[in-house]
Amino acid sequence: MQLTPVTADESAYLVADAAVDHTHPLVRATAARLSAGADDLTAYARAAFEFVRDTVTHSADVDDPRVTWRASDVLEQGTGICHAKAHALAALLRAEGVPAGFCYQKLDVLHGLIALKLPGGRWIRQDPRGNKPGVNAQFRLDREQLAWPVRPEKGECDYPVLYAEPHPVVLRALQRAEDRVHLWRLLDAAL
């Protein structure tokens, strides 16, 4: 998918903020551990993706009521919905100098994922949501392999905008939710 960054300034996709707190000691330590086993940035990006996808549980899959939104909290608690997992992956990537931004799909719910840009490459979406039967998201640079393809006949779509920060609609819902059930009521189905 061709993405349209909200800014041409790539440094905006390396910034630390409240949700993507890549200067936090836990994020830094996790990034250092993952980069120690990586030969280059591509290997590191794959390791970070697989770590978030496979180690951080999707709270709906495991019926965990906790709502996380800050990358360090996602890593500390080991759980989060797709949006929170995207925040964690973006933080790990940015911690090692890999530009990463946020993109969204309108499915039956608003789905969050990231796009990254490796040196000399293009922006390509990655979906750290977590695999389960019927879901097989993989780290790919040649083509996307996301958790779900959109079904336009059902009103679903890929939003083509690449945000430097989590979308305010998403962040507001994550920050205000008392638990995951409450979050589903707060989270808009579309941007």
Side-chain angles (χ1 to χ4, degrees), residues 24-91:
H24 188 281
L26 178 57
V27 177
R28 300 293 314 158
T30 305
R33 188 174 73 251
L34 294 170
S35 68
D39 295 333
D40 59 19
L41 278 180
T42 300
Y44 173 75
R46 178 183 304 278
F49 169 84
E50 291 175 351
F51 176 81
V52 173
R53 182 195 64 192
D54 300 341
T55 305
V56 176
T57 62
H58 190 288
S59 55
D61 291 350
V62 296
D63 199 26
D64 189 327
R66 295 177 291 172
V67 175
T68 53
W69 61 273
R70 186 177 288 117
S72 57
D73 293 338
V74 173
L75 296 177
E76 178 184 357
Q77 295 182 37
T79 194
I81 66 164
C82 59
H83 303 288
K85 291 180 70 153
H87 299 172
L89 178 55

Side-chain angles (χ1 to χ4, degrees), residues 7-27:
T7 178
D9 181 4
E10 225 169 80
S11 68
Y13 296 93
L14 292 168
V15 171
D17 60 28
V20 186
D21 59 342
H22 66 73
T23 58
H24 188 281
L26 178 57
V27 177

Side-chain angles (χ1 to χ4, degrees), residues 114-144:
I114 66 111
L116 60 82
K117 188 174 185 184
L118 291 166
R122 62 183 176 86
W123 289 106
I124 186 156
R125 295 185 302 171
Q126 305 292 334
D127 192 343
R129 182 238 178 263
N131 290 338
K132 63 180 186 174
V135 176
N136 185 24
Q138 298 295 324
F139 181 86
R140 306 274 314 238
L141 298 176
D142 57 337
R143 65 177 176 82
E144 295 178 343

